[in-house]
Amino acid sequence: MKKVVSLALALCMVVASVFAFASCGKKTSYTVGICQLVEHPALDAATKGFKDALVKALGEENVTFNEANAQGDSNTCATIVNDFVNKHVDLIMANATPALQAAANATTTIPILGTSVTDYATALSLKDFNGTVGGNISGTSDLAPLDKQAEMIKELYPDCKKVGLLYCSAEANSLFQVNAVAEALTKLGIESVKFSFADSNDIAAVAAAAAAGSDVVYIPTDNTAANCTEAVYGAIYGAGLKTPVVAGEEGICKGCGLATLSIDYYDLGYATGEMAAKILKGEAKIGETAIAYAPQVQKKYNKAVAELLGKTMPEGYTAID
């Protein structure tokens, strides 16, 4: 009888150990590295949305954020993500194209989710891109309908003959956007001229040249421009020029633009966070997760600039707060 009892107790201990091991083997707390290229309203909103979604899905006590800002320097992005890799974070969120590129170069095993990235095929030099990156990379795109942005220019200024396309030459996704807008403008019978700047040091001079030689200036979703809206505003409106600026996103429009057809970056970041939660919990495989896009866009305008230019906005445009 004693042997039977002892055997039963031993069996219970073995079963308990198996369940304990299984419980310990299932990860419930995570460390997430966030590399943000630069501080400006759009990227800040995307990061906030990402964190809010993860906290809601996993619980505040179960997720630790290792957050770093590269202050606009691509080389610093590489340093940040390499540190994440060395610390064996569970997932990397790369906010903006240079951050995504740095993360992709740093690891092929840690899951990487991009956000505020316009075109993944351009950013990662992908051939035959079908909507899914594969490997350890996925994310969300901030691509607004570029043909609709061109149509916005025509709607606001039907007599426009020439549009100056102002963008940073160091940002591959900015060139992708201006090429697409230029093609759309051509179809509308509008000429376009590219004005590229290398960095924040020459943006004011190039912006002034674009405004002086164009009927309208278009600025795509460009991180350098977004971080230098005061310089653009000063170079154009501060210098007494009345050339309207149409922007690719709300943050740039708020700083120096007249109008934009923009997405909501908080919502975009939130969608990225929901994606991250599913991947971390094993509910989705990152290599099979397609790039997601913003569900809707909005026509918005800068009331102060509209008043400065004496422009009455058409119906359907909402003033930026």
Side-chain angles (χ1 to χ4, degrees):
M1 188 65 179
K2 289 182 179 179
K3 289 182 179 180
V4 173
V5 172
S6 297
L7 183 60
L9 288 172
L11 182 60
C12 288
M13 291 177 67
V14 169
V15 173
S17 297
V18 169
F19 277 108
F21 179 80
S23 177
C24 290
K26 186 176 181 181
K27 192 175 181 68
T28 57
S29 61
Y30 308 91
T31 300
V32 175
I34 298 175
C35 178
Q36 181 174 319
L37 174 64
V38 68
E39 293 178 15
H40 67 66
L43 298 190
D44 292 347
T47 292
K48 186 177 189 307
F50 175 80
K51 293 168 67 176
D52 286 352
L54 262 186
V55 167
K56 182 178 180 180
L58 303 177
E60 188 172 5
E61 70 281 3
N62 294 324
V63 58
T64 300
F65 296 106
N66 190 339
E67 191 172 350
N69 192 295
Q71 302 300 327
D73 189 337
S74 298
N75 292 326
T76 303
C77 285
T79 301
I80 291 168
V81 295
N82 282 322
D83 180 59
F84 292 163
V85 173
N86 291 333
K87 291 178 178 176
H88 305 290
V89 299
D90 297 296
L91 182 142
I92 296 172
M93 192 277 265
N95 194 346
T97 299
L100 174 67
Q101 292 168 330
N105 289 331
T107 179
T108 58
T109 56
I110 297 173
I112 299 167
L113 288 177
T115 195
S116 312
V117 175
T118 304
D119 182 67
Y120 282 75
T122 300
L124 300 174
S125 300
L126 303 175
K127 295 181 180 179
D128 301 321
F129 176 64
N130 62 358
T132 302
V133 176
N136 65 321
I137 298 174
S138 188
T140 56
S141 169
D142 62 358
L143 181 64
L146 297 173
D147 56 340
K148 299 299 182 183
Q149 292 185 355
E151 290 173 9
M152 172 180 281
I153 294 172
K154 182 74 170 179
E155 176 188 34
L156 293 173
Y157 294 96
D159 297 328
C160 173
K161 297 291 188 293
K162 182 186 292 185
V163 175
L165 306 171
L166 179 66
Y167 70 101
C168 179
S169 58
E171 297 191 35
N173 273 317
S174 295
L175 179 58
F176 168 82
Q177 291 173 81
V178 297
N179 283 338
V181 170
E183 183 178 349
L185 288 170
T186 298
K187 292 178 180 179
L188 295 172
I190 301 174
E191 180 187 356
S192 61
V193 180
K194 295 174 184 174
F195 292 86
S196 66
F197 55 90
D199 53 37
S200 59
N201 294 318
D202 62 344
I203 187 172
V206 177
S214 312
D215 300 315
V216 175
V217 171
Y218 171 79
I219 305 176
T221 301
D222 183 290
N223 292 299
T224 307
N227 203 38
C228 299
T229 55
E230 289 186 10
V232 175
Y233 186 99
I236 299 177
Y237 307 127
L241 298 173
K242 293 298 183 76
T243 309
V245 173
V246 173
E249 58 94 6
E250 183 176 334
I252 296 175
C253 186
K254 186 175 183 178
C256 64
L258 168 66
T260 182
L261 183 68
S262 183
I263 68 168
D264 188 314
Y265 276 83
Y266 177 87
D267 290 346
L268 190 72
Y270 199 95
T272 314
E274 291 179 321
M275 192 181 290
K278 291 180 180 179
I279 290 165
L280 289 171
K281 292 190 292 185
E283 297 173 359
K285 295 180 179 179
I286 191 165
E288 299 175 359
T289 302
I291 302 302
Y293 295 83
Q296 59 184 3
V297 291
Q298 291 181 299
K299 290 181 176 181
K300 293 192 173 184
Y301 76 101
N302 185 326
K303 186 177 180 180
V305 171
E307 291 176 352
L308 177 68
L309 299 178
K311 179 67 174 177
T312 300
M313 301 301 294
E315 290 185 10
Y317 285 77
T318 303
I320 297 172
D321 293 334

mmCIF file of all heavy atoms in Angstrom, residues 1 27 48 72 75 91 97 135 142 169 183 189 218 234 237 252 260 264 269 288 308 315:
data_model
loop_
_atom_site.group_PDB
_atom_site.id
_atom_site.type_symbol
_atom_site.label_atom_id
_atom_site.label_comp_id
_atom_site.label_asym_id
_atom_site.label_seq_id
_atom_site.Cartn_x
_atom_site.Cartn_y
_atom_site.Cartn_z
ATOM 1 N N MET A 1 0.834 -1.203 0.000
ATOM 2 C CA MET A 1 0.000 0.000 0.000
ATOM 3 C C MET A 1 0.871 1.255 0.000
ATOM 4 O O MET A 1 0.605 2.219 -0.698
ATOM 5 C CB MET A 1 -0.912 -0.005 1.239
ATOM 6 C CG MET A 1 -1.950 1.111 1.234
ATOM 7 S SD MET A 1 -3.139 0.893 -0.118
ATOM 8 C CE MET A 1 -4.180 2.299 0.175
ATOM 9 N N LYS A 27 5.902 32.496 -23.045
ATOM 10 C CA LYS A 27 6.327 33.846 -22.698
ATOM 11 C C LYS A 27 5.127 34.770 -22.569
ATOM 12 O O LYS A 27 4.228 34.772 -23.420
ATOM 13 C CB LYS A 27 7.270 34.370 -23.785
ATOM 14 C CG LYS A 27 8.011 35.639 -23.418
ATOM 15 C CD LYS A 27 9.003 35.979 -24.523
ATOM 16 C CE LYS A 27 9.786 37.232 -24.197
ATOM 17 N NZ LYS A 27 10.694 37.063 -23.062
ATOM 18 N N LYS A 48 3.166 56.828 -30.318
ATOM 19 C CA LYS A 48 2.187 56.794 -29.229
ATOM 20 C C LYS A 48 1.088 55.770 -29.520
ATOM 21 O O LYS A 48 0.692 54.986 -28.644
ATOM 22 C CB LYS A 48 1.568 58.167 -29.004
ATOM 23 C CG LYS A 48 0.654 58.221 -27.780
ATOM 24 C CD LYS A 48 0.117 59.620 -27.534
ATOM 25 C CE LYS A 48 -0.619 59.696 -26.195
ATOM 26 N NZ LYS A 48 -1.667 58.674 -26.031
ATOM 27 N N GLY A 72 17.234 62.340 -36.463
ATOM 28 C CA GLY A 72 17.366 62.586 -37.895
ATOM 29 C C GLY A 72 18.598 61.987 -38.539
ATOM 30 O O GLY A 72 18.827 62.201 -39.735
ATOM 31 N N ASN A 75 22.792 57.057 -39.422
ATOM 32 C CA ASN A 75 23.839 56.273 -38.757
ATOM 33 C C ASN A 75 23.474 55.973 -37.307
ATOM 34 O O ASN A 75 23.786 54.898 -36.782
ATOM 35 C CB ASN A 75 25.175 57.012 -38.820
ATOM 36 C CG ASN A 75 25.715 57.094 -40.234
ATOM 37 O OD1 ASN A 75 25.518 56.180 -41.032
ATOM 38 N ND2 ASN A 75 26.392 58.191 -40.551
ATOM 39 N N LEU A 91 10.992 42.289 -30.189
ATOM 40 C CA LEU A 91 10.487 42.856 -31.443
ATOM 41 C C LEU A 91 11.041 44.270 -31.586
ATOM 42 O O LEU A 91 11.244 44.965 -30.584
ATOM 43 C CB LEU A 91 8.958 42.872 -31.443
ATOM 44 C CG LEU A 91 8.235 43.382 -32.693
ATOM 45 C CD1 LEU A 91 6.975 42.546 -32.970
ATOM 46 C CD2 LEU A 91 7.816 44.863 -32.541
ATOM 47 N N THR A 97 11.501 55.306 -42.681
ATOM 48 C CA THR A 97 12.266 54.470 -43.604
ATOM 49 C C THR A 97 13.708 54.209 -43.176
ATOM 50 O O THR A 97 14.148 53.051 -43.174
ATOM 51 C CB THR A 97 12.228 55.082 -45.013
ATOM 52 O OG1 THR A 97 10.864 55.129 -45.463
ATOM 53 C CG2 THR A 97 13.042 54.258 -46.002
ATOM 54 N N GLY A 135 10.226 36.955 -44.592
ATOM 55 C CA GLY A 135 11.316 36.955 -43.622
ATOM 56 C C GLY A 135 10.842 37.421 -42.270
ATOM 57 O O GLY A 135 9.827 36.951 -41.757
ATOM 58 N N ASP A 142 2.424 54.653 -44.698
ATOM 59 C CA ASP A 142 1.729 55.945 -44.596
ATOM 60 C C ASP A 142 1.428 56.534 -45.969
ATOM 61 O O ASP A 142 1.211 57.733 -46.112
ATOM 62 C CB ASP A 142 2.543 56.945 -43.763
ATOM 63 C CG ASP A 142 3.908 57.260 -44.377
ATOM 64 O OD1 ASP A 142 4.253 56.676 -45.427
ATOM 65 O OD2 ASP A 142 4.643 58.084 -43.793
ATOM 66 N N SER A 169 16.752 64.635 -50.963
ATOM 67 C CA SER A 169 17.364 63.639 -51.848
ATOM 68 C C SER A 169 17.876 62.421 -51.095
ATOM 69 O O SER A 169 18.114 61.369 -51.690
ATOM 70 C CB SER A 169 18.519 64.272 -52.632
ATOM 71 O OG SER A 169 19.495 64.798 -51.749
ATOM 72 N N GLU A 183 3.967 62.259 -62.307
ATOM 73 C CA GLU A 183 3.249 61.513 -63.346
ATOM 74 C C GLU A 183 1.764 61.862 -63.335
ATOM 75 O O GLU A 183 1.151 62.049 -64.389
ATOM 76 C CB GLU A 183 3.447 60.018 -63.133
ATOM 77 C CG GLU A 183 2.800 59.144 -64.199
ATOM 78 C CD GLU A 183 3.059 57.664 -63.982
ATOM 79 O OE1 GLU A 183 3.905 57.315 -63.141
ATOM 80 O OE2 GLU A 183 2.382 56.848 -64.650
ATOM 81 N N GLY A 189 -2.236 67.761 -67.103
ATOM 82 C CA GLY A 189 -1.782 68.874 -67.936
ATOM 83 C C GLY A 189 -0.960 69.905 -67.187
ATOM 84 O O GLY A 189 -0.870 71.061 -67.621
ATOM 85 N N TYR A 218 4.793 71.509 -53.854
ATOM 86 C CA TYR A 218 4.317 70.271 -53.237
ATOM 87 C C TYR A 218 5.445 69.642 -52.434
ATOM 88 O O TYR A 218 6.567 69.486 -52.933
ATOM 89 C CB TYR A 218 3.828 69.279 -54.301
ATOM 90 C CG TYR A 218 3.525 67.899 -53.727
ATOM 91 C CD1 TYR A 218 2.332 67.667 -53.047
ATOM 92 C CD2 TYR A 218 4.433 66.850 -53.847
ATOM 93 C CE1 TYR A 218 2.057 66.412 -52.505
ATOM 94 C CE2 TYR A 218 4.166 65.599 -53.314
ATOM 95 C CZ TYR A 218 2.979 65.382 -52.638
ATOM 96 O OH TYR A 218 2.726 64.146 -52.090
ATOM 97 N N GLY A 234 9.570 80.338 -43.307
ATOM 98 C CA GLY A 234 10.329 81.587 -43.371
ATOM 99 C C GLY A 234 10.852 81.882 -44.761
ATOM 100 O O GLY A 234 10.855 83.041 -45.202
ATOM 101 N N TYR A 237 6.857 82.297 -47.028
ATOM 102 C CA TYR A 237 5.927 83.332 -46.561
ATOM 103 C C TYR A 237 6.647 84.446 -45.810
ATOM 104 O O TYR A 237 6.283 85.624 -45.917
ATOM 105 C CB TYR A 237 4.843 82.712 -45.693
ATOM 106 C CG TYR A 237 4.137 81.563 -46.370
ATOM 107 C CD1 TYR A 237 4.020 80.326 -45.751
ATOM 108 C CD2 TYR A 237 3.591 81.705 -47.647
ATOM 109 C CE1 TYR A 237 3.388 79.267 -46.373
ATOM 110 C CE2 TYR A 237 2.959 80.648 -48.273
ATOM 111 C CZ TYR A 237 2.863 79.429 -47.633
ATOM 112 O OH TYR A 237 2.250 78.381 -48.252
ATOM 113 N N ILE A 252 3.425 68.555 -41.741
ATOM 114 C CA ILE A 252 4.074 69.533 -42.613
ATOM 115 C C ILE A 252 3.109 70.661 -42.942
ATOM 116 O O ILE A 252 3.477 71.840 -42.935
ATOM 117 C CB ILE A 252 4.586 68.858 -43.901
ATOM 118 C CG1 ILE A 252 5.674 67.834 -43.569
ATOM 119 C CG2 ILE A 252 5.133 69.894 -44.879
ATOM 120 C CD1 ILE A 252 6.161 67.025 -44.757
ATOM 121 N N THR A 260 -3.606 69.650 -47.263
ATOM 122 C CA THR A 260 -3.054 68.304 -47.322
ATOM 123 C C THR A 260 -4.163 67.281 -47.463
ATOM 124 O O THR A 260 -5.300 67.525 -47.032
ATOM 125 C CB THR A 260 -2.230 67.988 -46.051
ATOM 126 O OG1 THR A 260 -1.656 66.682 -46.167
ATOM 127 C CG2 THR A 260 -3.107 68.011 -44.803
ATOM 128 N N ASP A 264 -4.102 59.620 -40.575
ATOM 129 C CA ASP A 264 -3.960 59.830 -39.144
ATOM 130 C C ASP A 264 -2.828 58.935 -38.647
ATOM 131 O O ASP A 264 -2.944 57.710 -38.648
ATOM 132 C CB ASP A 264 -5.263 59.480 -38.421
ATOM 133 C CG ASP A 264 -5.237 59.855 -36.947
ATOM 134 O OD1 ASP A 264 -4.229 59.546 -36.286
ATOM 135 O OD2 ASP A 264 -6.220 60.435 -36.466
ATOM 136 N N GLY A 269 0.001 54.046 -36.267
ATOM 137 C CA GLY A 269 0.821 53.427 -35.234
ATOM 138 C C GLY A 269 0.039 52.418 -34.421
ATOM 139 O O GLY A 269 0.565 51.364 -34.043
ATOM 140 N N GLU A 288 4.342 36.167 -43.043
ATOM 141 C CA GLU A 288 3.112 35.994 -43.814
ATOM 142 C C GLU A 288 2.163 37.180 -43.650
ATOM 143 O O GLU A 288 1.057 37.170 -44.206
ATOM 144 C CB GLU A 288 2.408 34.710 -43.373
ATOM 145 C CG GLU A 288 3.244 33.446 -43.588
ATOM 146 C CD GLU A 288 2.580 32.198 -43.022
ATOM 147 O OE1 GLU A 288 1.477 32.337 -42.449
ATOM 148 O OE2 GLU A 288 3.163 31.105 -43.132
ATOM 149 N N LEU A 308 -3.477 84.165 -44.765
ATOM 150 C CA LEU A 308 -2.309 84.886 -45.283
ATOM 151 C C LEU A 308 -2.364 85.003 -46.800
ATOM 152 O O LEU A 308 -2.021 86.048 -47.370
ATOM 153 C CB LEU A 308 -1.029 84.166 -44.853
ATOM 154 C CG LEU A 308 0.293 84.740 -45.368
ATOM 155 C CD1 LEU A 308 0.567 86.106 -44.745
ATOM 156 C CD2 LEU A 308 1.444 83.785 -45.071
ATOM 157 N N GLU A 315 -15.536 73.415 -50.101
ATOM 158 C CA GLU A 315 -16.207 72.555 -49.133
ATOM 159 C C GLU A 315 -15.476 71.209 -49.036
ATOM 160 O O GLU A 315 -14.878 70.739 -49.996
ATOM 161 C CB GLU A 315 -17.662 72.312 -49.550
ATOM 162 C CG GLU A 315 -18.560 73.537 -49.423
ATOM 163 C CD GLU A 315 -20.013 73.203 -49.721
ATOM 164 O OE1 GLU A 315 -20.336 72.002 -49.836
ATOM 165 O OE2 GLU A 315 -20.820 74.149 -49.850
#
